[in-house]
C-alpha cells in the first residue's frame, strides 16, 4: 500500500512539474519573441520595403528612412528645424547583407558621391503583433515598417 501511494504521488508530481514547465516555456517564448530573439524570419521578404524612424528633439525633428530593394539600400536622413521651419536631408546609398534575421547596411555614397568613411548599421529584423521592425543593435533604435503605419492610418 505504501509503495502504491508513493508511486501515485511520484506520477502526480511529474505531471505537475510538466504542466508548470509548459506554461513557463510559453511565457519565455513570448518574451523572447518580444525582444527579437528566437524568431525565424528567414522566409520574410523585405525586398521593396521602407522602414521609418522618427526622433523628436527639443530643437529639431529627425526622420530616418531605410529603403531596401534587393541587395541595395537607401538611407535617408531628414532634419526639420523647429525654429526656422526649414528641412535638410542627406541621402546615402549602398548595399545590405542579410544573414537570417541580421541585416548589415553599408552606405558608401552620399548623394551619388563616394564618402571616405561609410555609414554602417547593424540591424535585427523582428516581428511583433504582425508588424516588422528593424532594431539597431548598437543604439536600440527601432525602425517600423511603413506599411504598418499606412494600415493604422487607414483604420482610423
Amino acid at each position: 500500500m505504501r509503495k502504491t501511494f508513493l508511486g501515485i504521488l511520484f506520477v502526480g508530481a511529474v505531471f505537475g512539474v510538466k504542466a508548470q514547465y509548459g506554461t513557463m516555456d510559453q511565457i519565455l517564448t513570448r518574451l523572447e519573441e518580444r525582444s527579437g530573439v528566437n524568431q525565424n524570419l528567414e522566409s520574410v521578404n523585405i525586398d521593396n520595403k521602407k522602414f521609418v524612424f522618427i526622433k523628436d528633439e527639443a530643437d529639431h525633428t529627425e526622420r530616418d528612412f531605410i529603403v531596401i530593394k534587393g541587395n541595395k539600400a537607401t538611407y535617408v536622413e531628414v532634419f526639420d528645424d523647429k525654429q526656422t521651419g526649414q528641412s535638410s536631408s542627406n541621402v546615402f546609398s549602398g548595399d545590405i547583407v542579410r544573414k537570417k534575421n541580421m541585416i548589415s547596411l553599408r552606405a558608401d555614397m552620399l548623394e551619388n558621391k563616394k564618402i571616405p568613411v561609410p555609414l554602417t548599421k547593424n540591424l535585427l529584423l523582428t516581428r511583433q503583433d504582425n508588424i516588422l521592425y528593424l532594431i539597431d543593435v548598437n543604439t536600440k533604435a527601432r525602425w517600423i515598417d511603413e506599411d504598418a503605419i499606412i494600415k493604422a492610418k487607414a483604420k482610423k
Side-chain angles (χ1 to χ4, degrees):
M1 181 73 178
R2 185 172 183 197
K3 289 182 183 180
T4 306
F5 177 71
L6 287 175
I8 292 172
L9 186 64
F10 177 73
V11 170
V14 167
F15 282 119
V17 169
K18 186 176 179 182
Q20 289 176 355
Y21 173 76
T23 305
M24 284 184 4
D25 186 48
Q26 289 174 350
I27 292 169
L28 287 174
T29 301
R30 199 172 322 131
L31 288 172
E32 287 174 343
E33 286 177 354
R34 232 182 241 162
S35 67
V37 182
N38 197 22
Q39 291 184 354
N40 185 9
L41 300 175
E42 288 182 62
S43 62
V44 174
N45 185 12
I46 59 169
D47 194 21
N48 294 319
K49 288 278 188 185
K50 184 189 281 188
F51 293 91
V52 180
F53 171 69
I54 300 172
K55 186 176 183 181
D56 195 22
E57 297 287 336
D59 60 340
H60 71 281
T61 301
E62 180 180 343
R63 295 176 286 153
D64 296 343
F65 304 94
I66 296 175
V67 182
I68 300 172
K69 293 185 186 280
N71 64 347
K72 299 291 181 193
T74 304
Y75 180 76
V76 181
E77 297 176 326
V78 180
F79 299 97
D80 298 322
D81 191 345
K82 290 183 179 178
Q83 292 177 345
T84 63
Q86 292 183 336
S87 293
S88 62
S89 65
N90 295 320
V91 180
F92 297 91
S93 58
D95 55 356
I96 63 165
V97 175
R98 180 177 178 184
K99 291 187 179 179
K100 297 186 180 182
N101 295 350
M102 292 301 299
I103 297 170
S104 294
L105 168 77
R106 185 181 67 89
D108 58 349
M109 303 284 280
L110 173 59
E111 298 176 3
N112 295 324
K113 294 180 183 170
K114 194 88 162 165
I115 54 176
V117 180
L119 178 122
T120 59
K121 298 271 183 200
N122 294 315
L123 307 161
L124 175 67
L125 180 67
T126 62
R127 178 185 287 155
Q128 295 175 3
D129 299 327
N130 290 327
I131 299 173
L132 287 176
Y133 293 94
L134 290 178
I135 299 175
D136 191 325
V137 174
N138 299 319
T139 64
K140 304 296 185 226
R142 293 171 49 123
W143 280 266
I144 186 170
D145 184 8
E146 186 184 48
D147 293 340
I149 296 170
I150 293 169
K151 288 177 186 175
K153 285 183 180 180
K155 284 185 179 180
K156 288 183 179 182

